[in-house]
Amino acid sequence: MATEPKFVDATDEVGGFNPKEGSGILRRPMLVDVDGDGFEDIIVWTTDKWTIRLFMNYGGEKFIDETEERGLGDDWGARKNVHHCAAFDFHNHGHFDLYIGHPDHGPSDTRLFLNDGTGHFTNSDFRFPRGSKGIGVVDVNGDGFLDLFDSGEEAREGGTLFINHNGESLVDETLERFNGLRPFGYQGPVFADFDNDGYPDIFTTGHYYSHCYLYRNDGRGHFIDVTEEYGLTFKEECDGANGAVFADLNNSGSLDLIVVNNGTVWIHENVDNGRSFPRRAVIHANDFEIDPHKWAGEAAMVADFDNDGYLDIWVAGTQYIYRNEGNFKFTKAWFVPIARTEPSRQACFGDINNDGKIDILYGSFYPGKLQFIRNEIPDEANWLQVNLIGPYGDAGGYGVRVSVFDAGHTGDMSHLKGMRESSSGYMYHVSPTRILHFGGLNADKKYDLLVRLPFRCGDFTVCDVQPGRRITIDCRKPGNPLIEY
């Protein structure tokens, strides 16, 4: 049994999050290491000019607003509601660029900012033809460059798939890649290889306007609607949903499906490499102070908060994390000290201070506040974190899978300790860490890591890894991939 975590509001200890300019209403946080120092920095939306603020992470001990100094504070036209920010490596130059979008129509203030490698940005001046509610990023066609799926402004209008041509342009190839139709979706599109064939697929949510959709990748970056085949429309439950994520909840080596709306979490097991998705559990996380249908309960975070090896679930805006007991059993477990103003759906998670524990950043509404909620579980060195450099030098290695096995037992599923697939994001208004986190390990043992590259580009094993640390794996060098501890 893992030690019980304790969550503490440590916002004041790190100096709070007070932007040098503008409103104190900070929402929609995202963690991404923009300067490559090993600590994930914080990007949030503010009501001042409807734009973003960048707080640099200094050793997990303080956060400083450096928006203007780093090229994100100029008048670049964001005069509308900034709805999301996605981090991805547009050029394959080894660091994260930023895609910033808002939901309003028109060739617009949605912008792609390019990172010079030191965490300083310039506006690329790419123009995007439509508004945006959510974004997913992955290489869909196997050419080595990360493509963008933008869900658009309204579900009825459908999404847009921008194909990245050699890091030089983003071209709308939606109709030719979705059989002449625009894919439905509204917010929180998810890329994941649900059927273990090596190709990233797409799941989209509708949020009252449209039901959910599942699109299978044919291996060439063309997508087939298989929603009805799998019965994953969620029409009966909510006529759509606000967020979804694929994650291995039972350590089987396949990605299960978690769908969230209004405080209810539907959990479907991935059976036989995605051949079916039977429902295994439903969580009703309805511990709100006010009407749950307004904002809270529309997104969830899936992470191993207690380092026991199983992924737990927290519905943003509620007060308790549900512990994964194994075999799809979830129990209300740990109190989260969020601000009890108007609850929201806006949060992100990651190891903010690099101590081996998953922390939470939470943004509440009216009055807005960004909280650093620190996880103070005792350090038992029973965890491992993996930073990925993708097979084409891309930061984050989106689409790459890492599976942890007992040393000497790679491929033996009875010795699997956990599997993670690197992703650009998932739930609407919720962002994951870019660092893969594994708990449930033994500090006195070593482990083998099986790394699987997308598009059937092969796999390789990193042997005899000691837990209790973060490692970086360079997927360009399968013969010698471990470049640092």
Side-chain angles (χ1 to χ4, degrees), residues 53-367:
R53 307 302 297 180
L54 170 61
F55 291 88
M56 299 302 294
N57 183 345
Y58 286 90
E61 297 178 353
K62 61 180 178 179
F63 299 86
I64 298 177
D65 182 356
E66 298 184 6
T67 310
E68 281 74 27
E69 297 92 321
R70 293 180 177 272
L72 296 174
D74 294 334
D75 183 10
W76 46 269
R79 289 292 182 269
K80 303 180 180 70
N81 186 351
V82 174
H83 238 63
H84 62 269
C85 182
F88 77 109
D89 190 349
F90 174 63
H91 293 300
N92 289 350
H93 48 13
H95 36 268
F96 291 103
D97 306 303
L98 300 176
Y99 174 92
I100 301 168
H102 67 76
D104 299 288
H105 295 276
S108 65
D109 310 319
T110 303
R111 290 289 188 265
L112 175 61
F113 285 84
L114 302 179
N115 188 342
D116 69 355
T118 68
H120 294 80
F121 295 87
T122 56
N123 191 338
S124 69
D125 292 324
F126 276 110
R127 307 287 285 180
F128 295 89
R130 311 168 72 229
S132 175
K133 279 280 191 174
I135 184 87
V137 183
V138 79
D139 177 10
V140 303
N141 57 357
D143 68 350
F145 288 91
L146 296 173
D147 310 299
L148 283 75
F149 180 84
D150 195 316
S151 64
E153 157 62 2
E154 295 289 347
R156 300 177 186 88
E157 297 177 352
T160 303
L161 179 60
F162 294 100
I163 298 298
N164 185 340
H165 287 257
N166 301 314
E168 298 173 355
S169 62
L170 293 165
V171 180
D172 181 355
E173 297 185 8
T174 311
L175 298 183
E176 62 189 87
R177 293 182 178 276
F178 283 87
N179 195 29
L181 301 172
R182 284 201 175 273
F184 285 97
Y186 183 53
Q187 47 202 32
V190 182
F191 277 112
D193 179 11
F194 79 88
D195 53 359
N196 291 347
D197 64 356
Y199 311 125
D201 311 295
I202 303 176
F203 188 84
T204 69
T205 57
H207 186 50
Y208 309 128
Y209 299 96
S210 169
H211 65 70
C212 298
Y213 287 84
L214 177 63
Y215 298 93
R216 176 188 283 139
N217 191 331
D218 69 355
R220 298 176 295 112
H222 295 81
F223 293 88
I224 303 166
D225 183 353
V226 295
T227 315
E228 296 290 346
E229 175 184 339
Y230 283 86
L232 296 174
T233 65
F234 292 87
K235 289 179 180 178
E236 292 76 15
E237 291 84 356
C238 58
D239 194 21
N242 201 64
V245 61
F246 284 91
D248 187 0
L249 295 175
N250 60 342
N251 293 342
S252 67
S254 295
L255 297 170
D256 308 302
L257 175 63
I258 302 99
V259 175
V260 182
N261 207 61
N262 294 333
T264 301
V265 183
W266 297 278
I267 298 170
H268 290 250
E269 181 183 8
N270 185 328
V271 174
D272 196 13
N273 292 320
R275 285 182 171 81
S276 65
F277 280 87
R279 182 168 298 170
R280 294 303 189 211
V282 179
I283 296 173
H284 297 285
N286 294 318
D287 49 329
F288 308 98
E289 282 196 350
I290 63 172
D291 180 10
H293 291 274
K294 191 167 185 180
W295 294 116
E298 294 186 340
M301 299 191 300
V302 181
D304 186 359
F305 289 104
D306 61 345
N307 281 345
D308 71 343
Y310 288 97
L311 295 170
D312 313 300
I313 296 175
W314 180 57
V315 177
T318 65
Q319 289 191 292
Y320 289 90
I321 292 173
Y322 283 75
R323 178 179 180 174
N324 186 345
E325 306 283 355
N327 198 29
F328 296 99
K329 179 181 179 182
F330 293 84
T331 305
K332 182 188 287 189
W334 310 301
F335 179 78
V336 182
I338 62 174
R340 303 312 296 166
T341 55
E342 183 170 352
S344 82
R345 57 200 170 190
Q346 303 173 102
C348 65
F349 65 89
D351 185 359
I352 296 171
N353 52 1
N354 290 10
D355 64 354
K357 309 152 196 175
I358 296 296
D359 310 300
I360 294 171
L361 281 173
Y362 175 71
S364 62
F365 283 141
Y366 311 123

Side-chain angles (χ1 to χ4, degrees), residues 395-406:
Y398 296 152
V400 175
R401 280 191 183 183
V402 178
S403 301
V404 177
F405 292 88
D406 291 316

